[in-house]
Structures are given as structure tokens and as C-alpha cells.
């Protein structure tokens, strides 16, 4: 039996560059792991079955669960090795809000790949696991790496950023509200395709350099300039999610008014976060937001940046 912690991520930066030949978007993202984590327990079974247990009502327990898909991918790719070890029971203790822009499903898939690599003695390197993970979802390679990283391509090409600051954040999400990631990207394309750079192969290096604006955020992280990190937060998907969801727009306005370094929606939302330098400051933002919005549907989490990706607990 093995227990793993699968951390959530927030996007400090998400810029949409253009279309890709494979139908996805070409992106530049800066992602950061936070210490809000699901607990994934892997229990080897004597039978060849895969079984998934999760008591969260929005999480599927069949083959559509990303952790289940991770098992199927490894079984398909390494049939001789996996036949030797039988099946596995996966138990997900869900702490990461679902459909929230926090990569909950992707981190569960990453933990499952990581754990089965050990249990089934597959001997895969982290790079190899990340290549497999990219077949399950664009955020899975980042979830395997963890920490702070710049993600390019469709988000699956990861370059870790080292020695970045450990900030705190308040995450806020309406429990009953979820945003579909495909919907957010599709709507963005409908509204903003005219601003896209030509396909990667046809755009010149100069065109790309002029279009990508992530350098200032990377610089601010490198120099631990917390004020500049707050100033350079960016998420292009806010342009479609905030107009479509008045509650999220109001939440962002309320949170931004409580101080902190900056406030942004994470990924395709609807989670909104405010960054602070210390946990005490985050606590005071959290209390102010709670006073301003008494809606019990609003869940608030105080988190800290972490350098950890998937971690084995026992
Ligand atoms: P991302 O930030 O990568 O776009 P997200 O945080 O917006 O992801 P998830 O929490 O991963 O979204 O869930 C999106 C949908 O995926 C859920 O509504 C659920 O039906 C499905 N799903 C499949 N596997 C899982 C899983 N292990 N955990 C949570 N949701 C899952």
C-alpha cells in the first residue's frame, strides 16, 4: 500500500498565444504548487481489476476518472510488467475543489503514475513519466514536477523555476459553481482568434518574442520582488469567464479590495486567489472576505506555495 499527496496548483500567469496544428492553444503559463492536497492511496489487488473509491459527489469513480485513466495507460503501455502485479484499488481523499482551475484531476493522475511506477517497478524517469502524463492531460507533467514552473506548448512543456519565493494565498471558490475548461478555451477562440499569432511554425522568432509577455513575471519571481509578482499576475481566460459569471467577477472585486499583492482567477476558474507575503496577511484577507460575503456556498482556503510535486506519505 502506498499513500501520496497530490498538490493543487494556481496559475500566476496564463497567456494565450495562438492556435496549434493539433487543435489546442499555444500557451505560456507560470504555475505554482500550493499545499492544498488530495491524498491518494494505492492498494495492490490480487485480481487484475482496477477499482476507484472517492466519496466526492462530483468525482467519477469509473474509467473517466483521470487517475483510472493513468492506470489504463500504464497497463496498455507495459502489459508484461503490469500483468505480474495484478490490479490496484485507488482511494481519493478529495480536498482540492473540483472543476476549479486548480488541476485536481491532473494531480490525481500524476500521483497515480508516480505511485505505480514504484509499486510496479517500471523504472521510468521523471521525464518519461511526464511524457506519459501529457497523454492524459496538459497539466499532468507540471503536477509531477511541482514547485514553480513555466509551461509552454499546450502547457505540457515544463521548465522549473528554482529559488522562487514562498508566498501565501487565499483561494476562494463557490462550491456549486464549476467552469468547463474546454468551454473557456473555445469561447476565447471565438472572441479573440483575430488577435492570435500565426501557427508556431510560421511565426518568426521576433513575432513570438514581441507577443510573449511572461518575462516580467519570471524576473519578479527570480528577484523575489513580491510587489512586482502581484503587479504582473495575468490570466487571459478572465476575459471570457468573468463576463459570463457575475458572481466570479464580484468575488474578484471583493477580494482585490481587501489588499494583498494581487488577485487573479486560476486557470479556467472559477477559483479566485489573492496573494500575500505572509500567512498572517492571508488570514486577515480571508476574514475580511468572509465578512463581506457571508454566502455559505463560498469556500475559502488559506494556502502556501510549496516546492513539492507528488510526495509519498507512507
Ligand atoms: P484544470 O485546472 O486542470 O483545468 P480543474 O481543476 O478545472 O482542472 P478538475 O477538478 O480536474 O478540474 O475536474 C474537472 C472534471 O474532471 C470534473 O468535473 C470531473 O468530472 C472530472 N474528473 C475526472 N477525474 C477526476 C479526479 N480525479 N478529480 C476530480 N475531477 C475529476
Amino acid at each position: 500500500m502506498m499513500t501520496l499527496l497530490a498538490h493543487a496548483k494556481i496559475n500566476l500567469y496564463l497567456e494565450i498565444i495562438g492556435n496549434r496544428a493539433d487543435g489546442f492553444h499555444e500557451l505560456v503559463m507560470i504555475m505554482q504548487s500550493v499545499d492544498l492536497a488530495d491524498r491518494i492511496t494505492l492498494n495492490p489487488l490480487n485480481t487484475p481489476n482496477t477499482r476507484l473509491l472517492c466519496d466526492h459527489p462530483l468525482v467519477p469513480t469509473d474509467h473517466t476518472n483521470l487517475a483510472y485513466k493513468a492506470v489504463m495507460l500504464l497497463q496498455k503501455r507495459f502489459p508484461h510488467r503490469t500483468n505480474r502485479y495484478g490490479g490496484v484499488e485507488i482511494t481519493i481523499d478529495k480536498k482540492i475543489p473540483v472543476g476549479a482551475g486548480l488541476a485536481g484531476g491532473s494531480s490525481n493522475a500524476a500521483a497515480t503514475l508516480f505511485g505505480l511506477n514504484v509499486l510496479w517497478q517500471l523504472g521510468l524517469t521523471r521525464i518519461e513519466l511526464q511524457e506519459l502524463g501529457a497523454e492524459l492531460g496538459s497539466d499532468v507533467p507540471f503536477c509531477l514536477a511541482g514547485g514553480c514552473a513555466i509551461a509552454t506548448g499546450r502547457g505540457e512543456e515544463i521548465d522549473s523555476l528554482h529559488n522562487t519565493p514562498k508566498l501565501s494565498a487565499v483561494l476562494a471558490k463557490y462550491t456549486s459553481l464549476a467552469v468547463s475548461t474546454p468551454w473557456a478555451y473555445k469561447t476565447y477562440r471565438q472572441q479573440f482568434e483575430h488577435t492570435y499569432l500565426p501557427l508556431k511554425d510560421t511565426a518568426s522568432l521576433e513575432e513570438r518574442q514581441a507577443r510573449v509577455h511572461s518575462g516580467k513575471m519570471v524576473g519578479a519571481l527570480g528577484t523575489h520582488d513580491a510587489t512586482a509578482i502581484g503587479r504582473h499576475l495575468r490570466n487571459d481566460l478572465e476575459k471570457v469567464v468573468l463576463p459570463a459569471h457575475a458572481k466570479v467577477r464580484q468575488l474578484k472585486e471583493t477580494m482585490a479590495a481587501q489588499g494583498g499583492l494581487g488577485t487573479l482567477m486560476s486557470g479556467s476558474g472559477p477559483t479566485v486567489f489573492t496573494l500575500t507575503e505572509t500567512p498572517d496577511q492571508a488570514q486577515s484577507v480571508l476574514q475580511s472576505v468572509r465578512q463581506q460575503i457571508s454566502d455559505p456556498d463560498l469556500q475559502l482556503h488559506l494556502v502556501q506555495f510549496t516546492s513539492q510535486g507528488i510526495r509519498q506519505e507512507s
Side-chain angles (χ1 to χ4, degrees):
M1 183 172 120
M2 182 186 282
T3 303
L4 304 125
L5 285 180
H7 292 97
K9 62 87 185 155
I10 54 174
N11 292 81
L12 302 178
Y13 192 89
L14 191 161
E15 183 176 4
I16 298 177
I17 306 297
N19 284 317
R20 291 164 56 90
D22 61 10
F24 285 92
H25 276 99
E26 181 76 13
L27 305 172
V28 177
M29 298 192 285
I30 298 172
M31 321 238 247
Q32 172 68 57
S33 302
V34 296
D35 61 1
L36 175 65
D38 292 340
R39 184 172 275 108
I40 310 291
T41 305
L42 302 177
N43 235 323
L45 298 174
N46 293 328
T47 58
N49 305 345
T50 301
R51 200 159 56 215
L52 194 141
L53 309 172
C54 180
D55 58 12
H56 193 296
L58 297 178
V59 177
T61 53
D62 60 6
H63 64 280
T64 61
N65 191 296
L66 273 177
Y68 201 117
K69 286 186 180 177
V71 179
M72 292 195 298
L73 178 65
L74 291 180
Q75 283 173 333
K76 191 168 149 218
R77 204 56 67 85
F78 306 101
H80 300 303
R81 304 286 301 165
T82 50
N83 280 347
R84 263 181 51 189
Y85 291 96
V88 66
E89 181 185 76
I90 307 165
T91 307
I92 301 177
D93 178 11
K94 238 324 145 198
K95 296 281 187 285
I96 305 173
V98 177
L102 299 173
S106 302
S107 77
N108 294 176
T112 306
L113 289 177
F114 183 99
L116 291 181
N117 186 37
V118 178
L119 285 177
W120 290 347
Q121 301 185 38
L122 299 175
L124 299 170
T125 63
R126 204 184 62 211
I127 302 279
E128 288 165 338
L129 281 178
Q130 285 178 320
E131 280 171 8
L132 280 170
E135 295 181 30
L136 297 169
S138 304
D139 286 347
V140 179
F142 169 76
C143 292
L144 281 157
C148 186
I150 185 155
T152 51
R154 58 183 170 88
E156 86 291 14
E157 291 172 26
I158 305 300
D159 286 296
S160 290
L161 299 171
H162 300 289
N163 191 26
T164 51
K166 298 265 175 294
L167 301 177
S168 298
V170 178
L171 311 185
K173 180 184 180 279
Y174 285 104
T175 308
S176 59
L177 190 65
V179 171
S180 143
T181 304
W183 169 85
Y185 280 104
K186 197 178 82 193
T187 309
Y188 192 92
R189 179 176 283 130
Q190 280 163 1
Q191 294 183 16
F192 297 102
E193 194 165 23
H194 62 280
T195 67
Y196 286 8
L197 196 68
L199 284 177
K200 194 176 185 179
D201 301 347
T202 53
S204 71
L205 194 57
E206 287 74 23
E207 279 177 308
R208 284 184 66 78
Q209 278 170 343
R211 180 66 169 78
V212 178
H213 300 93
S214 54
K216 287 185 176 141
M217 176 58 93
V218 175
L221 287 162
T223 54
H224 288 215
D225 184 341
T227 310
I229 292 169
R231 199 169 51 240
H232 295 303
L233 292 170
R234 168 176 174 160
N235 183 350
D236 285 348
L237 290 175
E238 285 190 341
K239 288 191 247 171
V240 293
V241 178
L242 299 188
H245 296 279
K247 271 180 102 172
V248 185
R249 195 171 63 241
Q250 284 153 12
L251 175 62
K252 188 181 172 195
E253 280 164 16
T254 304
M255 290 182 74
Q258 310 314 315
L261 300 165
T263 299
L264 192 73
M265 188 182 81
S266 182
S268 55
T271 301
V272 175
F273 65 85
T274 296
L275 295 183
T276 64
E277 283 191 85
T278 68
D280 285 350
Q281 290 164 345
Q283 183 62 41
S284 110
V285 169
L286 188 149
Q287 278 164 353
S288 313
V289 175
R290 185 50 82 206
Q291 275 165 11
Q292 308 264 332
I293 308 174
S294 56
D295 189 342
D297 193 41
L298 183 67
Q299 48 173 315
L300 298 169
H301 299 269
L302 198 165
V303 299
Q304 256 133 87
F305 288 13
T306 174
S307 57
Q308 300 204 306
I310 303 302
R311 185 159 68 81
Q312 192 175 336
E313 203 181 42
S314 61

